[in-house]
Amino acid sequence: MNDRKDLEELYATFARIFADGKPIRGVFELVAAIHAAGLEPENVTEDWLRALNGDWVYGDSLLPFQDPTANRLYQRFLTGN
């Protein structure tokens, strides 16, 4: 994966899936969620993106997953701890 270009394409896919006029999470949060799930950006599928917590996508929840362990990892990635 050509890091920046491919990440931009992945985020564009994320934005397209959830494009309905509401603001969505930024690329930093998306990358944190990807890593918390144990994935590399090149392994992310549209199905995986669609499975993210919709409330998180739109900023109504702080957590992207149903799995508490993945949510803790997500928070660690965000805070750098």
Side-chain angles (χ1 to χ4, degrees):
M1 194 172 218
N2 179 353
D3 295 338
R4 185 167 177 89
K5 185 176 186 300
D6 290 337
L7 197 51
E8 288 172 1
E9 289 175 14
L10 176 60
Y11 187 76
T13 300
F14 173 71
R16 180 182 42 78
I17 289 170
F18 294 102
D20 63 1
K22 294 180 185 177
I24 61 172
R25 294 284 175 174
V27 68
F28 181 76
E29 290 98 344
L30 179 60
V31 170
I34 290 167
H35 290 299
L39 298 172
E40 292 297 324
E42 61 266 17
N43 301 117
V44 173
T45 65
E46 287 191 25
D47 287 338
W48 184 86
L49 291 171
R50 286 186 180 94
L52 290 168
N53 177 357
D55 288 338
W56 172 82
V57 169
Y58 296 114
D60 296 326
S61 170
L62 297 176
L63 305 172
F65 307 109
Q66 297 297 319
D67 176 28
T69 302
N71 283 327
R72 281 192 298 277
L73 284 172
Y74 169 74
Q75 290 175 320
R76 281 189 195 154
F77 280 113
L78 287 182
T79 62
N81 293 325

